[in-house]
Amino acid sequence: MCIRDRAKDAVIARLVSVSVASLTDQDKIGLMPDDFRERIVVLLRPAGYGESIPGVPAIPVVKKPFAGDMVVLLALDSPDSLAAVTKEMLGDIDTQESELYALAFENTRERVDELQIQTDKDIEFVSAVSGLATGHLSLPESCDADTAPYYAVVLDRDTYARTPASATKGVAALASYLVKARKQNAGFSQTLLSCDSGIWSAADVYALAQ
């Protein structure tokens, strides 16, 4: 095995370890509080979130498409948990869903605090003590017209990996990780997110895995 392959395998191993560690961890589901306007935030979650927890009835959470298998979820932030907002909760308030998302984006900006970034080769692993790293990734300014093209993979509830589109080895490592995840039907997400010209889309992992 050449040095390049060993380096790529090391990065893939780290991606797998981060992703697998989160598979049994679920957010708590709460009730809509009076101060929801100050606490509502956004998170990135798999499209099936709330629908596939073993032994638990499906929960109709409030979400909208992001890219690939990821959606932007509304949640309530508190000191010790992040609770998904359900459609049932919306019946208790006189606020449009579009207004809630606008509030959630603004609150996420204010609450995310400092991002924690660790670098391995060409890949950055991003998390946040606040638990809002994936929410930060979903903010409009994280992929706007001035943003240099890059790829990202959401690894767990509060960690994502990203690499510049120009970093060939980093892109190949992320894509290779997802190819394996798809074969094993594993991982928090199986989508390689592509930010280009201010637009998020799902990249072709098979073409990029080398």
Side-chain angles (χ1 to χ4, degrees):
M1 180 181 294
C2 68
I3 294 176
R4 177 183 175 182
D5 289 341
R6 286 200 298 269
K8 185 171 73 173
D9 286 348
V11 171
I12 291 174
R14 178 170 181 173
L15 290 165
V16 171
S17 67
V18 172
S19 182
V20 170
S22 71
L23 294 181
T24 59
D25 197 8
Q26 298 293 338
D27 291 341
K28 299 176 181 178
I29 306 299
L31 300 176
M32 187 67 86
D34 293 335
D35 61 348
F36 73 91
R37 288 180 172 273
E38 291 75 38
R39 293 174 50 198
I40 197 164
V41 294
V42 287
L43 302 168
L44 286 181
R45 293 291 185 266
Y49 183 84
E51 302 172 0
S52 58
I53 304 175
V56 178
I59 301 169
V61 297
V62 181
K63 57 191 177 183
K64 66 178 182 178
F66 184 68
D69 64 0
M70 301 304 291
V71 296
V72 184
L73 185 83
L74 288 181
L76 295 170
D77 189 20
S78 64
D80 60 355
S81 69
L82 284 162
V85 173
T86 67
K87 293 181 180 179
E88 183 178 2
M89 293 179 185
L90 298 186
D92 298 330
I93 59 176
D94 185 23
T95 306
Q96 296 296 318
E97 190 171 313
S98 59
E99 181 182 351
L100 288 176
Y101 271 101
L103 287 169
F105 282 134
E106 186 59 36
N107 288 340
T108 301
R109 292 186 185 96
E110 296 176 357
R111 289 173 172 261
V112 68
D113 295 325
E114 184 178 356
L115 295 175
Q116 298 178 321
I117 302 174
Q118 295 182 326
T119 303
D120 190 343
K121 304 295 187 299
D122 295 320
I123 298 176
E124 291 183 333
F125 294 83
V126 184
S127 60
V129 174
S130 62
L132 297 174
T134 67
H136 180 270
L137 183 63
S138 75
L139 295 178
E141 59 267 29
S142 292
C143 182
D144 59 26
D146 297 323
T147 304
Y150 70 100
Y151 293 97
V153 178
V154 180
L155 299 175
D156 65 21
R157 296 186 314 147
D158 189 50
T159 307
Y160 66 89
R162 67 187 181 194
T163 190
S166 58
T168 305
K169 293 181 181 179
V171 174
L174 292 185
S176 297
Y177 157 72
L178 288 171
V179 167
K180 292 183 178 180
R182 292 182 182 188
K183 288 181 179 179
Q184 300 171 3
N185 194 27
F188 190 78
S189 169
Q190 295 182 2
T191 295
L192 181 61
L193 299 169
S194 170
C195 169
D196 191 1
S197 301
I199 299 174
W200 282 110
S201 63
D204 185 345
V205 297
Y206 298 101
L208 294 171
Q210 300 175 2

